[in-house]
Amino acid sequence: MTTAAEIMHAGAQWIPATETLDRAAELMARLNVGALPVSDADERLCGIITDRDIVVGCIAKGQDPAKMTCGDMCQGTPRWIDAEADVSEVLQEMESHQIKRLPVIRNKKLVGMISEADLAQHLSEEQIAEFVEKVYARR
């Protein structure tokens, strides 16, 4: 059984919901990532902010990323997976919610992220094709 912990990119970093989008963009650039998990004051997952969220949801709408917070951009229920979950559960979560990045949690703490690149390194070609078909399908 392959677990989420075995395929994740370890060392993911939170960004507080109170942090501004310009700071989120700086952190993404420094870490060379396109998404960051967003935490509330108790370091619980309250969303994920992506580089696309910043561009489309803030800048393209004429908003100031130095004044808009990560919490302002978080919408809906954040999805996550337990570190010990089987890869089939990872795929089910990502496919059913059409998401491309999934935070990995162990004992209520962020321990990593699973991205499409992580899946590509650990799945068969058939599994990857099915993932792409389901995640990118128009609903």
Side-chain angles (χ1 to χ4, degrees), residues 73-128:
M73 296 297 294
C74 292
Q75 300 174 10
T77 303
R79 309 308 309 177
W80 57 275
I81 196 84
D82 186 87
E84 300 311 312
D86 183 75
V87 70
S88 63
E89 295 173 71
V90 170
L91 289 172
Q92 170 64 29
E93 187 69 18
M94 294 176 83
E95 290 170 359
S96 65
H97 297 283
Q98 292 188 303
I99 55 177
K100 301 168 193 149
R101 299 171 180 100
L102 188 64
V104 180
I105 307 291
R106 176 181 284 134
N107 298 324
K108 299 183 182 180
K109 297 289 182 190
L110 177 71
V111 293
M113 288 280 281
I114 297 174
S115 69
E116 294 168 294
D118 298 315
L119 295 177
Q121 293 176 358
H122 294 90
L123 301 179
S124 69
E125 286 184 27
E126 279 182 9
Q127 289 172 306
I128 293 168

Coordinates of all heavy atoms in Angstrom, one line a residue, residues 73-128:
M73 N -9.4 35.5 0.1 CA -9.5 34.7 -1.1 C -10.0 33.3 -0.9 O -10.4 32.6 -1.8 CB -8.1 34.6 -1.8 CG -7.6 35.9 -2.3 SD -8.6 36.7 -3.6 CE -8.4 35.5 -4.9
C74 N -9.9 32.8 0.3 CA -10.3 31.4 0.6 C -11.8 31.3 0.5 O -12.5 32.0 1.1 CB -9.8 31.0 2.0 SG -8.0 30.9 2.1
Q75 N -12.2 30.2 -0.2 CA -13.6 30.0 -0.4 C -13.9 28.5 -0.2 O -13.1 27.7 -0.6 CB -14.1 30.4 -1.8 CG -13.9 31.9 -2.1 CD -14.2 32.2 -3.5 OE1 -14.7 31.4 -4.2 NE2 -13.9 33.4 -3.9
G76 N -15.1 28.2 0.3 CA -15.5 26.8 0.4 C -14.7 26.0 1.5 O -14.0 26.6 2.3
T77 N -15.0 24.7 1.5 CA -14.4 23.8 2.5 C -13.1 23.3 2.0 O -13.0 22.8 0.9 CB -15.3 22.6 2.7 OG1 -16.6 23.1 3.1 CG2 -14.7 21.7 3.8
P78 N -12.0 23.6 2.7 CA -10.7 23.1 2.2 C -10.6 21.6 2.2 O -11.2 20.9 3.2 CB -9.7 23.7 3.2 CG -10.5 24.0 4.4 CD -11.9 24.2 4.0
R79 N -10.0 21.0 1.2 CA -9.8 19.6 1.1 C -8.4 19.2 1.6 O -7.5 20.0 1.4 CB -10.0 19.1 -0.3 CG -11.3 19.6 -1.0 CD -12.6 19.3 -0.3 NE -12.8 18.0 0.1 CZ -13.8 17.5 0.8 NH1 -14.8 18.4 1.2 NH2 -13.9 16.3 1.2
W80 N -8.3 18.0 2.2 CA -7.0 17.6 2.7 C -7.1 16.0 2.8 O -8.1 15.4 2.7 CB -6.6 18.2 4.1 CG -7.7 17.9 5.1 CD1 -8.8 18.6 5.4 CD2 -7.7 16.8 6.1 NE1 -9.5 18.1 6.4 CE2 -8.8 17.0 6.8 CE3 -6.8 15.8 6.3 CZ2 -9.2 16.1 7.9 CZ3 -7.1 14.9 7.3 CH2 -8.3 15.0 8.1
I81 N -5.9 15.4 3.1 CA -5.8 14.0 3.2 C -4.9 13.6 4.4 O -3.9 14.4 4.6 CB -5.4 13.3 1.9 CG1 -5.7 11.8 1.9 CG2 -3.9 13.6 1.6 CD1 -7.1 11.5 1.4
D82 N -5.2 12.6 5.1 CA -4.4 12.1 6.2 C -3.1 11.5 5.6 O -3.2 10.8 4.5 CB -5.1 11.1 7.0 CG -4.3 10.7 8.2 OD1 -4.4 11.3 9.3 OD2 -3.6 9.7 8.1
A83 N -2.0 11.7 6.2 CA -0.7 11.2 5.7 C -0.7 9.6 5.5 O 0.0 9.1 4.7 CB 0.4 11.5 6.7
E84 N -1.5 8.9 6.3 CA -1.6 7.5 6.2 C -2.6 7.0 5.1 O -2.7 5.7 4.9 CB -1.8 6.8 7.5 CG -0.7 7.2 8.6 CD 0.7 7.0 8.1 OE1 1.0 5.9 7.5 OE2 1.5 7.9 8.2
A85 N -3.3 7.8 4.5 CA -4.3 7.4 3.5 C -3.6 6.8 2.3 O -2.5 7.1 1.9 CB -5.1 8.6 3.0
D86 N -4.3 5.8 1.8 CA -3.8 5.1 0.6 C -3.9 6.0 -0.6 O -4.8 6.9 -0.7 CB -4.7 3.8 0.4 CG -4.2 3.0 -0.8 OD1 -3.2 2.3 -0.7 OD2 -4.9 3.0 -1.8
V87 N -3.1 5.7 -1.6 CA -3.0 6.5 -2.8 C -4.4 6.5 -3.5 O -4.8 7.5 -4.2 CB -1.9 6.1 -3.8 CG1 -2.1 4.8 -4.4 CG2 -1.6 7.2 -4.8
S88 N -5.1 5.4 -3.4 CA -6.5 5.4 -4.0 C -7.4 6.4 -3.4 O -8.2 7.1 -4.1 CB -7.1 4.0 -3.9 OG -7.3 3.6 -2.6
E89 N -7.2 6.7 -2.1 CA -8.0 7.7 -1.4 C -7.6 9.1 -1.8 O -8.4 10.0 -2.0 CB -7.9 7.6 0.1 CG -8.4 6.3 0.7 CD -8.1 6.2 2.2 OE1 -8.7 7.0 3.0 OE2 -7.2 5.3 2.5
V90 N -6.3 9.3 -2.1 CA -5.8 10.6 -2.6 C -6.4 10.9 -3.9 O -6.9 12.0 -4.1 CB -4.2 10.5 -2.7 CG1 -3.7 11.7 -3.5 CG2 -3.5 10.4 -1.4
L91 N -6.4 9.9 -4.8 CA -7.0 10.1 -6.1 C -8.5 10.3 -6.1 O -9.0 11.2 -6.8 CB -6.7 8.8 -7.0 CG -5.3 8.7 -7.5 CD1 -5.1 7.3 -8.1 CD2 -4.8 9.8 -8.4
Q92 N -9.2 9.6 -5.2 CA -10.6 9.8 -5.1 C -10.9 11.3 -4.6 O -11.8 11.9 -5.2 CB -11.2 8.8 -4.0 CG -12.6 9.1 -3.6 CD -13.6 9.0 -4.8 OE1 -13.4 8.2 -5.7 NE2 -14.7 9.7 -4.7
E93 N -10.1 11.8 -3.6 CA -10.3 13.1 -3.1 C -10.0 14.2 -4.2 O -10.8 15.1 -4.4 CB -9.4 13.3 -1.9 CG -9.7 14.6 -1.2 CD -11.0 14.7 -0.5 OE1 -11.6 13.7 -0.2 OE2 -11.4 15.9 -0.1
M94 N -9.0 14.0 -4.9 CA -8.6 15.0 -5.9 C -9.5 14.9 -7.1 O -9.9 16.0 -7.7 CB -7.1 14.8 -6.3 CG -6.1 15.1 -5.2 SD -4.4 14.8 -5.6 CE -4.0 16.3 -6.5
E95 N -9.9 13.7 -7.6 CA -10.7 13.6 -8.7 C -12.2 14.0 -8.4 O -12.8 14.8 -9.2 CB -10.7 12.1 -9.2 CG -9.4 11.7 -9.8 CD -9.3 10.2 -10.1 OE1 -10.3 9.4 -9.8 OE2 -8.3 9.8 -10.6
S96 N -12.7 13.6 -7.3 CA -14.1 14.0 -7.0 C -14.3 15.4 -6.8 O -15.4 16.0 -7.0 CB -14.6 13.1 -5.8 OG -13.9 13.5 -4.7
H97 N -13.3 16.2 -6.4 CA -13.4 17.6 -6.1 C -12.7 18.4 -7.2 O -12.6 19.6 -7.1 CB -12.9 17.9 -4.7 CG -13.7 17.3 -3.6 ND1 -14.9 17.8 -3.3 CD2 -13.5 16.2 -2.9 CE1 -15.4 17.0 -2.3 NE2 -14.5 16.0 -2.1
Q98 N -12.1 17.7 -8.2 CA -11.4 18.4 -9.3 C -10.4 19.4 -8.8 O -10.3 20.5 -9.2 CB -12.4 19.0 -10.3 CG -13.2 18.0 -11.0 CD -14.0 18.7 -12.1 OE1 -14.8 19.6 -11.9 NE2 -13.9 18.2 -13.3
I99 N -9.5 18.9 -7.9 CA -8.4 19.7 -7.4 C -7.0 19.1 -7.8 O -6.9 17.9 -8.0 CB -8.5 19.8 -5.9 CG1 -8.5 18.5 -5.2 CG2 -9.7 20.7 -5.5 CD1 -8.5 18.6 -3.7
K100 N -6.1 20.0 -7.9 CA -4.8 19.7 -8.5 C -3.7 19.6 -7.4 O -2.6 19.2 -7.6 CB -4.4 20.7 -9.5 CG -5.3 20.7 -10.7 CD -5.1 21.9 -11.6 CE -6.3 22.0 -12.5 NZ -6.5 23.3 -12.9
R101 N -4.0 20.1 -6.2 CA -3.1 20.1 -5.1 C -3.9 19.7 -3.8 O -5.0 20.2 -3.6 CB -2.5 21.5 -4.9 CG -1.7 21.9 -6.1 CD -1.3 23.4 -5.9 NE -0.5 23.9 -7.0 CZ -1.0 24.7 -8.0 NH1 -2.3 25.0 -8.0 NH2 -0.3 25.1 -8.9
L102 N -3.2 18.9 -3.0 CA -3.9 18.4 -1.8 C -3.0 18.4 -0.6 O -1.9 17.8 -0.6 CB -4.4 17.0 -2.1 CG -5.2 16.3 -1.0 CD1 -6.6 17.0 -0.9 CD2 -5.5 14.8 -1.4
P103 N -3.3 19.2 0.4 CA -2.5 19.2 1.6 C -2.5 17.9 2.4 O -3.6 17.2 2.3 CB -3.1 20.3 2.5 CG -3.9 21.1 1.6 CD -4.4 20.2 0.5
V104 N -1.4 17.5 2.9 CA -1.3 16.2 3.7 C -1.1 16.6 5.2 O -0.3 17.4 5.5 CB -0.1 15.4 3.2 CG1 -0.1 14.1 4.0 CG2 -0.3 15.1 1.7
I105 N -2.0 16.0 6.0 CA -2.1 16.3 7.4 C -1.8 15.1 8.2 O -2.3 14.0 7.9 CB -3.5 16.9 7.8 CG1 -3.9 18.0 6.9 CG2 -3.5 17.2 9.3 CD1 -3.1 19.3 7.1
R106 N -1.0 15.3 9.3 CA -0.7 14.2 10.3 C -0.8 14.8 11.7 O -0.2 15.8 12.0 CB 0.7 13.6 10.1 CG 1.0 12.5 11.1 CD 2.4 11.9 11.0 NE 2.4 11.0 9.9 CZ 3.3 11.0 8.9 NH1 4.3 11.8 9.0 NH2 3.3 10.1 8.0
N107 N -1.7 14.2 12.5 CA -1.9 14.7 13.8 C -2.2 16.2 13.9 O -1.6 17.0 14.6 CB -0.7 14.4 14.7 CG -0.4 13.0 14.9 OD1 -1.4 12.2 14.9 ND2 0.8 12.6 14.9
K108 N -3.1 16.6 12.9 CA -3.6 18.0 12.8 C -2.5 19.0 12.4 O -2.7 20.2 12.5 CB -4.2 18.5 14.1 CG -5.4 17.7 14.5 CD -6.1 18.2 15.8 CE -7.3 17.3 16.2 NZ -7.9 17.8 17.4
K109 N -1.4 18.5 11.9 CA -0.3 19.4 11.4 C 0.0 19.1 10.0 O 0.0 18.0 9.5 CB 1.0 19.1 12.2 CG 0.9 19.4 13.7 CD 0.8 20.9 13.9 CE 0.8 21.2 15.4 NZ 0.5 22.6 15.7
L110 N 0.3 20.2 9.2 CA 0.6 20.1 7.8 C 2.0 19.4 7.7 O 3.0 19.9 8.3 CB 0.7 21.5 7.2 CG 1.1 21.5 5.7 CD1 0.0 21.0 4.8 CD2 1.4 23.0 5.4
V111 N 2.1 18.3 6.9 CA 3.4 17.7 6.7 C 3.8 17.7 5.3 O 4.9 17.3 5.0 CB 3.4 16.2 7.3 CG1 3.2 16.2 8.8 CG2 2.3 15.4 6.6
G112 N 2.9 18.0 4.3 CA 3.3 18.0 2.9 C 2.1 18.4 2.0 O 1.0 18.7 2.5
M113 N 2.4 18.4 0.7 CA 1.4 18.7 -0.3 C 1.6 17.6 -1.4 O 2.7 17.2 -1.7 CB 1.6 20.0 -0.9 CG 1.3 21.2 0.0 SD -0.5 21.5 0.0 CE -0.7 22.4 -1.5
I114 N 0.5 17.2 -2.0 CA 0.5 16.4 -3.2 C 0.1 17.2 -4.3 O -1.0 17.8 -4.3 CB -0.4 15.1 -3.0 CG1 0.2 14.3 -1.8 CG2 -0.4 14.3 -4.3 CD1 -0.7 13.1 -1.5
S115 N 0.9 17.2 -5.4 CA 0.6 17.9 -6.6 C 0.5 16.9 -7.8 O 0.8 15.8 -7.6 CB 1.6 19.0 -6.9 OG 2.8 18.4 -7.2
E116 N 0.1 17.5 -8.9 CA 0.1 16.7 -10.1 C 1.5 16.1 -10.4 O 1.6 14.9 -10.8 CB -0.4 17.5 -11.3 CG -1.8 18.0 -11.2 CD -2.1 19.0 -12.3 OE1 -1.5 20.1 -12.2 OE2 -2.9 18.7 -13.2
A117 N 2.5 16.8 -10.2 CA 3.9 16.4 -10.4 C 4.2 15.2 -9.5 O 4.9 14.2 -10.0 CB 4.9 17.5 -10.2
D118 N 3.8 15.2 -8.3 CA 4.0 14.1 -7.4 C 3.3 12.8 -7.8 O 3.8 11.7 -7.8 CB 3.5 14.4 -5.9 CG 4.3 15.6 -5.3 OD1 5.5 15.7 -5.5 OD2 3.6 16.5 -4.8
L119 N 2.0 13.0 -8.3 CA 1.3 11.9 -8.8 C 2.0 11.3 -10.1 O 2.1 10.1 -10.2 CB -0.1 12.3 -9.2 CG -1.0 12.8 -8.0 CD1 -2.4 13.2 -8.6 CD2 -1.2 11.6 -7.0
A120 N 2.5 12.2 -10.9 CA 3.1 11.7 -12.2 C 4.3 10.8 -11.9 O 4.6 9.9 -12.7 CB 3.5 12.9 -13.0
Q121 N 5.0 11.1 -10.8 CA 6.2 10.3 -10.4 C 5.8 8.9 -9.8 O 6.7 8.1 -9.7 CB 7.0 11.1 -9.4 CG 7.7 12.3 -10.0 CD 8.5 13.1 -9.0 OE1 8.5 12.8 -7.8 NE2 9.1 14.2 -9.5
H122 N 4.6 8.8 -9.3 CA 4.3 7.6 -8.5 C 3.1 6.7 -9.1 O 2.9 5.7 -8.6 CB 3.9 8.0 -7.1 CG 5.1 8.5 -6.4 ND1 5.4 9.9 -6.3 CD2 6.0 7.9 -5.6 CE1 6.5 10.0 -5.6 NE2 6.9 8.9 -5.2
L123 N 2.5 7.2 -10.1 CA 1.3 6.5 -10.7 C 1.6 5.9 -12.0 O 2.6 6.3 -12.7 CB 0.1 7.4 -10.8 CG -0.4 8.1 -9.6 CD1 -1.6 9.0 -9.9 CD2 -0.8 7.1 -8.5
S124 N 0.8 4.9 -12.4 CA 1.0 4.3 -13.7 C 0.4 5.3 -14.8 O -0.3 6.2 -14.4 CB 0.2 3.0 -13.8 OG -1.2 3.3 -13.8
E125 N 0.7 5.0 -16.0 CA 0.2 5.9 -17.1 C -1.3 5.8 -17.1 O -2.0 6.9 -17.4 CB 0.7 5.5 -18.4 CG 2.2 5.9 -18.6 CD 2.7 5.5 -20.0 OE1 1.9 5.5 -21.0 OE2 4.0 5.4 -20.1
E126 N -1.9 4.7 -16.9 CA -3.4 4.6 -16.8 C -4.0 5.4 -15.7 O -5.0 6.1 -15.9 CB -3.8 3.1 -16.6 CG -3.8 2.3 -17.8 CD -4.3 0.8 -17.6 OE1 -4.8 0.6 -16.4 OE2 -4.1 0.0 -18.5
Q127 N -3.4 5.4 -14.5 CA -3.9 6.1 -13.4 C -3.8 7.6 -13.7 O -4.7 8.4 -13.4 CB -3.1 5.8 -12.1 CG -3.4 4.4 -11.6 CD -2.5 4.1 -10.4 OE1 -1.3 4.1 -10.5 NE2 -3.1 3.7 -9.3
I128 N -2.7 8.0 -14.3 CA -2.5 9.5 -14.6 C -3.5 9.9 -15.6 O -4.1 11.0 -15.5 CB -1.0 9.7 -15.1 CG1 0.0 9.5 -14.0 CG2 -0.9 11.1 -15.7 CD1 1.4 9.4 -14.5

